[in-house]
Every structure is written in C-alpha cells, then in structure tokens.
Amino acid sequence: MTEFAIPEDAIEERFLAASGPGGQNVNKVATAVQLRVDVFKLGLEPWAYQQLKIVAGSRMTAGGDLVVTARRFRTQEANRADARDRIVDLLKRAHERQARRVKTKPSKAARARRVDAKKGRAVVKAGRGRVSLD
C-alpha cells in the first residue's frame, strides 16, 4: 500500500484544553490537537472518497472536512503525531478495494428442500387450528 503524504495546505490545526491525565498542567496547557483536513485537496479517486465517507463516519463533515481530535497523550507533539497517524490510517482503509461479490443462486435440490420444509411447517401449523366436533 502506498504511503499517504498529506499536503500542509490541506490541514488546519487547533489546540484544545484536554481532559484526562496531566495533573495541574491539564488546566494550563492546550495539549489536545484537532486536525481538520480538506478532503478535496487530497485529490482522491471518487471511489476512495465514497469509501472514506463510510470509514470516517461522523468525523466527516458535510463540507468535506475530515476532523480528528487527539488527546491521548500529555504533549502537543505526541497528540499531533497521533492525529496525523489516525488520518493516514483512515486514508489507507479508504483505499482498500472491496472484493466484488459473485452472484450465486441456490441449486435445484436446495430449492426443493426449502419448499418441502415449508410444506411441512404448513402441515404442523394447520394442525394447531381449532378442533371441530363434526
């Protein structure tokens, strides 16, 4: 699989106050990173773009931005690297081609078995009806 280079003009970076570990430092330093990637500047194939929308889910905005927030680590640099790695991972997953489905149909014997089973169930259910005293 090819390595994805994300152009710097396609990325917008914001630093946020993170929750979680960090002690008093977490209240003073904005260590969480939110990356917004303009997907249209990546030049993806149409099929890869469609797959990226599926893979990204709610991380993809209606305007075509991919938003990833990383707050796992205590430093900006580590969170920045984590966010970029996650974006590259999403792009790799979007470029995986799905195997084409080969249409199949049941054999004649399988269809006959299915019909026989249905007839058997119909007989059982018909026997559950009201009893008439004729």
Side-chain angles (χ1 to χ4, degrees):
M1 191 100 276
T2 60
E3 191 62 37
F4 294 99
I6 304 168
E8 287 299 319
D9 65 330
I11 297 177
E12 180 186 324
E13 212 170 49
R14 277 190 15 207
F15 295 99
L16 316 164
S19 60
Q24 295 173 348
N25 195 45
V26 81
N27 300 322
K28 296 186 285 186
V29 182
T31 55
V33 178
Q34 184 181 65
L35 290 184
R36 295 179 79 88
V37 179
D38 186 0
V39 177
F40 298 118
K41 291 185 179 178
L42 298 178
L44 298 176
E45 297 288 331
W47 61 268
Y49 174 73
Q50 290 297 325
Q51 189 65 23
L52 180 62
K53 282 173 43 174
I54 294 168
V55 169
S58 63
R59 290 175 288 216
M60 185 82 132
T61 65
D65 286 345
L66 182 62
V67 180
V68 173
T69 304
R71 57 170 55 103
R72 194 179 328 181
F73 301 103
R74 292 186 184 197
T75 63
Q76 281 184 353
E77 293 77 24
N79 282 328
R80 179 186 287 150
D82 182 40
R84 288 177 188 257
D85 290 344
R86 285 165 50 192
I87 288 173
V88 168
D89 181 53
L90 283 172
L91 289 173
K92 282 182 182 177
R93 287 177 30 208
H95 276 81
E96 291 173 358
R97 296 300 287 260
Q98 300 295 323
R100 289 205 132 173
R101 183 184 183 281
V102 178
K103 288 185 179 180
T104 59
K105 59 182 183 179
S107 66
K108 199 170 190 179
R111 287 197 302 265
R113 282 193 302 269
R114 180 178 157 271
V115 170
D116 290 342
K118 285 179 75 163
K119 285 181 183 175
R121 284 193 303 274
V123 169
V124 168
K125 289 184 177 187
R128 293 182 190 156
R130 288 195 178 208
V131 177
S132 61
L133 299 172
D134 288 345

